[in-house]
Amino acid sequence: MQIQNNISLKPFNTFGIDAKAKHFVSVNNLDDLKHILSLENQPNKLILGGGSNMLLTQDFDGLVIRINLKGIKIISENEDTVIVQANAGENWHEFVLWCINNDFGGIENLSLIPGNVGTAPIQNIGAYGVELKDVFESCEAMELSTKNIKSFSKTDCNFGYRNSVFKQEARGKFIITSVNFKLSKKHHKLNINYGAIASQLKIMNVSNPTIQDISKAIISIRESKLPNPKEIGNSGSFFKNPVISKTHFNSILLNFNDAPSYPVSENEVKVPAGWLIEKAGFKGKRFGDYGIHKNQALVLVNYGNAQGADILKLSKLIQKTIKRIFGISIEAEVNIL
Ligand code: EPU
């Protein structure tokens, strides 16, 4: 394990922002992680997973610790289900493909989400009708203050929409080191109700889908809507979909009768932020090296050498405009550093 100085973080964040780390280290095992966390001459530390949910707006004047813990193994299984443990540094999509190749069901709808296994629980990643919490069994995390490993059950994690204990009370106090998933070995519970999945399967000529087919369908849908971070820097959805009262939504319908919404509770609905941003005229707009994606307005993009501060400025302009037009405050989903 070697601490490097003055390292560009461009390859380590999917937005492709060229911010610098004063010091940088990649950690491959728990002993090294313990050691590095104990370094008293490095008080300022930033933990980096897949770098897929962050916007770097400045250089980091401290030590960036990249969690590179690898390994996937079966912990236990019976006839119907299997518990698989994946270490935090495994790439999320590669882990999904490993499960699909083994015919383990449950996360096929989460195909092609950027990022790593260890950061997936923090924001309870979700797509196409499935959330991480649906297959989550438990996770282990190192407590920064004691360097002890603590186990978190699903209840401990207190999962919500793009939310968990790791964004609330436990924020900044733990590093997730591994995650256990409970997956099906047979009678897979398929989720094909969301949006375009059924029509994509039809295009693929599949009438009796397997989890492999669903994964392929999701990959096609995502590829058609979302920019590939290897080609155009981005962090997926930049904002969360806001929840507003039905009364508020009805007042919006008076002016925009095509406004979409999803029920949340008796008095509340969720409105797709992508729709709000599109209606506000931002979709596909480009300002120099950054802008709003042409196929999904919820995604802000870096076309090359954008600065994090530029993208942050754009996000604030979008928030202000949405507030002015619709009276809705939209919240960033990515972590701004
Ligand atoms: N819409 C527009 N214009 C747009 C984008 C969306 O009008 O430019 C409207 C359409 O009415 C569309 C609806 O929004 O039917 C929903 O769009 P989509 O299915 O693309 O989903 P989303 O709500 O915009 C969420 C997640 C995505 C996830 C998709 C699919 C959040 C913040 N985002 O987006 O997650 O892939 O659902 O399940 O909840 C991510 O978190 O990084 C991410 C990509």
Side-chain angles (χ1 to χ4, degrees):
M1 181 180 53
Q2 198 199 346
I3 298 183
Q4 297 168 280
N5 299 322
N6 267 324
I7 291 292
S8 167
L9 294 173
K10 194 172 166 104
F12 303 111
N13 71 100
T14 60
F15 244 127
I17 303 293
D18 189 16
K20 302 241 168 354
K22 192 167 184 191
H23 308 290
F24 179 91
V25 69
S26 190
V27 168
N28 305 324
N29 63 63
L30 291 181
D31 284 341
D32 283 356
L33 182 58
K34 217 178 231 180
H35 171 74
I36 215 81
L37 290 176
S38 310
L39 293 178
E40 278 166 15
N41 61 345
Q42 297 285 359
N44 202 7
K45 299 182 181 82
L46 171 68
I47 310 301
L48 189 66
S52 64
N53 202 38
M54 65 191 323
L55 177 65
L56 296 162
T57 59
Q58 53 196 332
D59 290 343
F60 187 71
D61 186 27
L63 174 65
V64 172
I65 304 172
R66 179 171 179 243
I67 306 300
N68 197 35
L69 305 166
K70 299 283 189 191
I72 302 174
K73 64 178 180 216
I74 293 173
I75 296 284
S76 65
E77 60 187 313
N78 58 31
E79 238 178 75
D80 300 316
T81 57
V82 57
I83 306 286
V84 177
Q85 180 174 75
N87 282 333
E90 286 290 338
N91 171 272
W92 175 262
H93 182 59
E94 280 166 27
F95 172 61
V96 172
L97 294 180
W98 183 91
C99 294
I100 286 167
N101 287 338
N102 283 283
D103 204 29
F104 297 157
I107 52 175
E108 53 283 355
N109 290 45
L110 304 180
S111 296
L112 213 61
I113 295 185
N116 284 358
V117 166
T119 38
I122 300 177
Q123 56 150 345
N124 182 25
I125 59 169
Y128 305 101
V130 174
E131 285 184 326
L132 176 109
K133 73 169 171 49
D134 303 331
V135 288
F136 181 94
E137 176 72 9
S138 63
C139 69
E140 291 194 335
M142 190 176 283
E143 189 170 22
L144 297 185
S145 58
T146 61
K147 324 286 180 290
N148 291 332
I149 296 284
K150 192 181 162 203
S151 182
F152 286 78
S153 69
K154 194 193 271 197
T155 317
D156 295 335
C157 289
N158 201 11
F159 290 120
Y161 168 60
R162 295 295 191 278
N163 206 355
S164 78
V165 71
F166 300 106
K167 282 185 111 174
Q168 304 294 334
E169 303 91 283
R171 189 186 189 107
K173 296 184 182 149
F174 291 90
I175 296 173
I176 296 174
T177 52
S178 68
V179 184
N180 285 359
F181 299 87
K182 187 174 186 178
L183 304 167
S184 55
K185 283 170 67 180
K186 54 184 181 186
H187 311 306
H188 301 308
K189 211 174 118 227
L190 306 180
N191 263 290
I192 54 168
N193 293 329
Y194 189 98
I197 302 178
S199 49
Q200 182 61 35
L201 287 168
K202 218 171 178 179
I203 295 171
M204 289 160 52
N205 250 329
V206 174
S207 48
N208 206 355
T210 60
I211 58 172
Q212 289 76 9
D213 295 324
I214 293 181
S215 174
K216 279 188 196 134
I218 301 279
I219 290 173
S220 302
I221 299 168
R222 287 190 76 98
E223 281 178 341
S224 71
K225 271 195 176 183
L226 299 168
N228 179 349
K230 286 188 183 130
E231 288 155 17
I232 303 177
N234 76 91
S235 216
S237 303
F238 194 93
F239 301 101
K240 288 195 226 179
N241 288 333
V243 173
I244 62 171
S245 72
K246 275 191 180 162
T247 321
H248 188 168
F249 184 67
N250 288 336
S251 71
I252 290 173
L253 279 178
L254 295 176
N255 293 320
F256 302 90
N257 60 9
D258 60 336
S261 70
Y262 308 105
V264 169
S265 66
E266 206 182 310
N267 303 315
E268 289 172 315
V269 292
K270 197 185 267 182
V271 184
W275 181 85
L276 296 168
I277 299 168
E278 181 172 344
K279 278 286 156 180
F282 285 105
K283 192 170 184 174
K285 279 256 157 72
R286 182 168 174 168
F287 308 86
D289 251 2
Y290 59 98
I292 298 102
H293 189 55
K294 62 181 190 330
N295 298 336
Q296 165 54 291
L298 196 47
V299 178
L300 304 190
V301 291
N302 170 12
Y303 289 103
N305 294 311
Q307 305 277 311
D310 291 334
I311 293 172
L312 180 62
K313 214 168 70 197
L314 172 61
S315 78
K316 291 202 164 134
L317 173 66
I318 293 173
Q319 283 171 315
K320 227 169 83 188
T321 312
I322 300 294
K323 180 78 184 171
R324 181 170 49 76
I325 302 177
F326 302 100
I328 299 178
S329 305
I330 54 170
E331 221 181 289
E333 198 229 281
V334 302
N335 296 304
I336 293 161
L337 294 163

